[in-house]
């Protein structure tokens, strides 16, 4: 009989406040270069809001959309644009009715060394612009960008 006790907890890593702020600044820089203003949300890996900023002239709806993109990306550790294909599957399609699920480009899991430490959500441009700004900011800070 083994006397080893199984681990009861696991260490949880989360993006720091400083890194979240730097990521937001990098997104705003990329968005300005691309030509739009944005709302930017950063969550911890559990989808809880860690940091947020909305440019002065970004529409107010971008606030909720950015937060929900970050939540969606963190919840399944996958970019939000991938959900368009997922929801085409009738067995997954019912998830489309979840009030926070955002199947629009611009949300990415924040990953370092293969571990998700948060979620990033951007809203304000087209879905392509939101995705581009997210990818540029993640790369600029040394985070991984998922292939999908």
């Amino acid at each position: 009989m083994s006397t080893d006790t199984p681990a009861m907890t696991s260490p949880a890593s989360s993006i720091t406040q400083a890194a979240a702020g730097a990521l937001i600044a990098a997104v705003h820089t990329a968005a300005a270069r691309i030509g739009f203003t944005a709302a930017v949300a950063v969550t911890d890996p559990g989808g809880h809001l860690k940091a947020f900023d909305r440019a002065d002239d970004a529409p107010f709806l971008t606030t909720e959309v950015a937060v929900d993109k970050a939540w969606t990306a963190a919840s399944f550790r996958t970019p939000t644009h991938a959900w368009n294909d997922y929801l085409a599957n009738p067995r997954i399609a019912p998830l489309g009715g979840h009030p926070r699920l955002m199947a629009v480009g611009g949300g990415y899991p924040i990953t370092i060394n293969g571990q998700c430490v948060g979620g990033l959500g951007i809203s304000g441009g087209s879905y392509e612009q939101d995705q581009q700004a997210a990818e540029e900011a993640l790369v600029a800070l040394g985070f991984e960008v998922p292939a999908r």
Side-chain angles (χ1 to χ4, degrees):
M1 176 174 230
S2 175
T3 59
D4 293 336
T5 305
M8 301 300 277
T9 62
S10 64
S13 295
S14 181
I15 189 167
T16 64
Q17 188 67 38
L23 192 53
I24 287 172
V27 168
H28 283 307
T29 298
R33 189 191 57 68
I34 295 166
F36 72 100
T37 58
V40 186
V42 176
T43 68
D44 67 15
H48 304 285
L49 191 61
K50 182 82 173 198
F52 175 82
D53 187 67
R54 180 173 63 94
D56 289 335
D57 55 349
F60 70 86
L61 181 59
T62 61
T63 299
E64 187 175 331
V65 173
V67 171
D68 287 348
K69 284 181 181 181
W71 179 88
T72 300
S75 69
F76 282 91
R77 316 299 197 244
T78 189
T80 53
H81 62 271
W83 278 95
N84 287 301
D85 291 338
Y86 297 156
L87 294 175
N89 180 334
R91 293 181 180 206
I92 298 173
L95 287 175
H98 190 285
R100 294 202 62 190
L101 185 77
M102 191 57 60
V104 178
Y108 283 85
I110 303 169
T111 308
I112 192 154
N113 297 325
Q115 182 175 13
C116 180
V117 296
L120 171 65
I122 301 170
S123 181
S126 67
Y127 73 90
E128 295 103 338
Q129 290 172 319
D130 292 348
Q131 282 180 233
Q132 183 179 352
E135 290 178 5
E136 286 182 21
L138 289 167
V139 168
L141 279 132
F143 292 107
E144 299 160 13
V145 177
R148 174 139 172 94

